[in-house]
């Protein structure tokens, strides 16, 4: 009897050991599979070892600019100035560069294509496709100076997405869905065709498309094209996360008089909508009521919203500047009424040493931002490039996004 009682625990211990060994084997297999297919295994991250240095501020507008360096940056629709440096993005790789020399300081790369890159919350935000390429779903925040990884998020936007940042909010947009996030990349608002809604029926018009949007002053304006409406619709959201993410906080929504409209800008209590033929700027208040209707000196062929839904705009403390495709229009930043129009331009421009610089075919024109008068022209040789030019500055350096390339210019 004593022997039998001893034998039973022995058999149980051996069974426990077999089960434990099997469990360990399963865990090892899972770990290997995860390590092979996880985002970390598919990522190359080479941070900078020392902090960068921003170029000195501009003492004034120089007599000329000279090209210093250039780099491919097809995944960045605008120049990405972040931290003390500049970020370029091409293919599947994001590179943090010394602002003055273009030397690579840090690198972040994955085994899938980039959808887009933008600056937000003082970081570089890199949005990648998922494995199938059906979605632009994998968003990473990178320290702008060192390139170290910060928060990450999984989104449900489609290819062709743009990232638009303003203040404490960044918006990821695609044709039928918008998602906004706060600085830790936690979603604050979902709008449109939510893929797997936690509570169905919370989206007001999930079957619409969004040809144009603008973000500013804590407000997100969206032009909606809905089959049930006779004209486009303007909807303004509060994307700051004051409620449930899948229940949009709608400030107002109103039908407009036409289709094919473009939203140029939103301010604290105004929205500027461009109406087609003849071109007119409709200004609405924060209840959706019209407070102004002003004719614009732009060609009718330049009224339609851009393919990615984001207009070419730039701002200083007093004005928002919109580029139609051939003209730069300055709007009062608060009331959004047009102030002046400059013809024959290649982009909206940028602020530089108290002046407003605007790209033109011959180079850069120095513009009085108050009156819109040209003070002088600075020649820039673009080697035959005649397309859209988007400008940004870092200290005294000037950057031009020319199609798929970023070109750095220094005072000469």
């Amino acid at each position: 009897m004593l022997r039998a009682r001893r034998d039973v625990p022995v058999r149980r211990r051996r069974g426990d050991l077999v089960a434990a060994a099997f469990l360990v084997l399963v865990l090892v297999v899972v770990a290997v599979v995860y390590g092979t297919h996880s985002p970390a295994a598919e990522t190359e991250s080479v941070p900078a070892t020392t902090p960068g240095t921003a170029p000195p501020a501009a003492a004034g507008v120089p007599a000329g600019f000279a090209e210093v360096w250039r780099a491919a940056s097809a995944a960045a629709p605008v120049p990405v100035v972040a931290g003390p440096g500049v970020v370029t993005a091409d293919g599947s790789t994001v590179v943090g560069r010394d602002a003055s020399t273009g030397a690579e300081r840090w690198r972040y790369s994955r085994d899938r294509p980039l959808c887009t890159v933008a600056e937000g919350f003082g970081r570089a935000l890199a949005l990648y496709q998922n494995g199938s390429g059906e979605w632009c779903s994998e968003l990473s925040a990178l320290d702008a100076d060192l390139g170290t990884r910060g928060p990450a998020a999984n989104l449900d936007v489609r290819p062709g997405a743009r990232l638009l940042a303003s203040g404490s909010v960044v918006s990821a947009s695609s044709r039928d869905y918008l998602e906004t996030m706060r600085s830790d990349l936690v979603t604050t608002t979902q709008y449109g065709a939510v893929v797997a809604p936690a509570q169905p029926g919370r989206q007001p018009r999930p079957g619409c498309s969004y040809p144009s949007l603008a973000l500013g002053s804590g407000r997100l304006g969206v032009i909606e094209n809905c089959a049930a409406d006779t004209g486009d619709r303007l909807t303004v959201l509060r994307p700051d996360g004051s409620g449930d993410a899948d229940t949009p906080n709608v400030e107002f929504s109103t039908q407009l008089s036409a289709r094919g409209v473009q939203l140029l800008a939103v301010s604290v209590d105004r929205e500027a909508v461009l109406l087609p033929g003849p071109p007119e700027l409709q200004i609405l208040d924060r209840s959706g009521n019209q407070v102004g209707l002003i004719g614009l000196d732009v060609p009718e062929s330049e009224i339609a919203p851009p393919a990615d839904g984001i207009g070419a705009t730039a701002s200083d403390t007093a004005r928002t500047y919109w580029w139609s495709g051939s003209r730069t229009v300055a709007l009062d930043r608060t009331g959004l009424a047009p102030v002046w129009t400059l013809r024959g331009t290649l982009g909206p421009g940028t602020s530089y040493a108290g002046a407003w610089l605007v790209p033109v075919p011959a180079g850069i024109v120095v513009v009085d931002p108050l009156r819109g008068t040209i003070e002088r022209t600075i020649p820039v040789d673009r080697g035959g490039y005649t397309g859209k030019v988007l400008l940004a500055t870092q200290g005294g350096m000037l950057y031009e996004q020319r199609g798929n390339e970023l070109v750095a210019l220094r005072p000469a």
Side-chain angles (χ1 to χ4, degrees):
M1 295 293 294
L2 291 173
R3 185 177 300 159
R5 283 195 294 270
R6 285 196 299 268
D7 288 344
V8 171
V10 169
R11 286 196 296 271
R12 286 178 179 171
R13 284 198 298 271
R14 286 174 181 169
D16 291 343
L17 289 173
V18 171
F22 179 75
L23 180 59
V24 169
L25 178 61
V26 170
L27 292 174
V28 168
V29 171
V30 170
V32 169
V33 171
Y34 178 79
T36 302
H37 297 284
S38 70
E42 300 164 347
T43 300
E44 178 192 18
S45 179
V46 184
T49 56
T50 58
T53 302
V61 180
F65 286 103
E67 181 177 329
V68 185
W69 58 269
R70 64 174 59 199
S73 193
V78 300
V80 181
V81 174
V86 176
V87 173
T88 59
D90 198 71
S92 60
T93 302
V94 184
V95 177
R97 299 183 182 274
D98 182 274
S100 299
T101 67
E104 181 177 317
R105 299 192 57 253
W106 57 262
R107 170 180 291 259
Y108 181 83
S109 182
R110 298 198 59 191
D111 66 344
R112 55 199 59 185
L114 279 160
C115 293
T116 189
V117 170
E119 185 278 335
F121 318 120
R123 303 186 182 108
L125 303 177
L127 181 61
Y128 282 87
Q129 291 184 12
N130 65 350
S132 68
E134 183 182 3
W135 302 95
C136 288
S137 60
E138 300 179 9
L139 179 64
S140 294
L142 306 172
D143 182 90
D145 187 14
L146 300 178
T148 51
R149 284 178 285 183
N154 289 317
L155 313 181
D156 292 321
V157 291
R158 296 281 188 177
R162 284 283 301 270
L163 294 172
L164 199 60
S166 177
S168 61
V169 172
V170 63
S171 173
S173 67
S174 58
R175 201 64 181 172
D176 61 356
Y177 176 73
L178 310 172
E179 188 167 340
T180 64
M181 293 148 283
R182 63 194 191 202
S183 61
D184 56 2
L185 301 192
V186 171
T187 297
T188 58
T189 299
Q190 295 175 297
Y191 193 73
V194 179
V195 175
Q199 297 290 333
R202 293 192 174 188
Q203 296 295 321
R205 288 168 296 278
C208 304
S209 61
Y210 309 135
S212 183
L213 69 151
L215 177 66
S217 302
R219 307 169 75 222
L220 175 62
V222 183
I223 297 297
E224 300 188 52
N225 188 306
C226 307
D229 292 337
T230 57
D232 283 345
R233 172 181 293 273
L234 171 64
T235 300
V236 176
L237 309 171
R238 302 290 300 188
D240 54 4
S242 56
D244 294 336
D246 60 351
T247 305
N249 185 354
V250 179
E251 195 171 289
F252 75 84
S253 185
T254 186
Q255 270 198 68
L256 303 172
S257 60
R259 292 200 181 273
V261 307
Q262 183 178 170
L263 180 62
L264 301 189
V266 295
S267 67
V268 173
D269 58 2
R270 292 289 185 271
E271 306 81 37
V273 174
L274 184 60
L275 301 177
E280 293 181 308
L281 187 69
Q282 183 182 29
I283 302 174
L284 301 97
D285 64 17
R286 64 182 311 146
S287 297
N289 300 311
Q290 178 178 302
V291 294
L293 188 63
I294 305 166
L296 282 187
D297 177 25
V298 297
E300 290 189 38
S301 60
E302 298 177 353
I303 299 303
D308 62 9
I310 309 296
T313 62
S315 298
D316 60 17
T317 57
R319 284 159 291 277
T320 293
Y321 304 85
W322 168 68
W323 183 64
S324 70
S326 67
R327 301 171 195 198
T328 298
V329 180
L331 308 176
D332 175 80
R333 192 165 181 178
T334 303
L336 301 183
V339 180
W340 50 259
T341 300
L342 190 63
R343 295 187 174 199
T345 64
L346 300 178
T350 192
S351 180
Y352 189 100
W356 193 257
L357 304 187
V358 178
V360 295
I364 302 286
V365 290
V366 182
V367 180
D368 179 337
L370 181 61
R371 301 176 181 84
T373 54
I374 296 176
E375 298 176 353
R376 57 191 171 94
T377 300
I378 303 173
V380 174
D381 182 5
R382 299 191 177 98
Y385 178 81
T386 58
K388 177 170 64 174
V389 176
L390 298 175
L391 302 181
T393 60
Q394 178 72 293
M397 296 288 293
L398 180 68
Y399 304 93
E400 293 192 343
Q401 185 78 34
R402 304 176 192 168
N404 293 335
E405 271 195 320
L406 182 69
V407 180
L409 309 173
R410 71 180 176 196

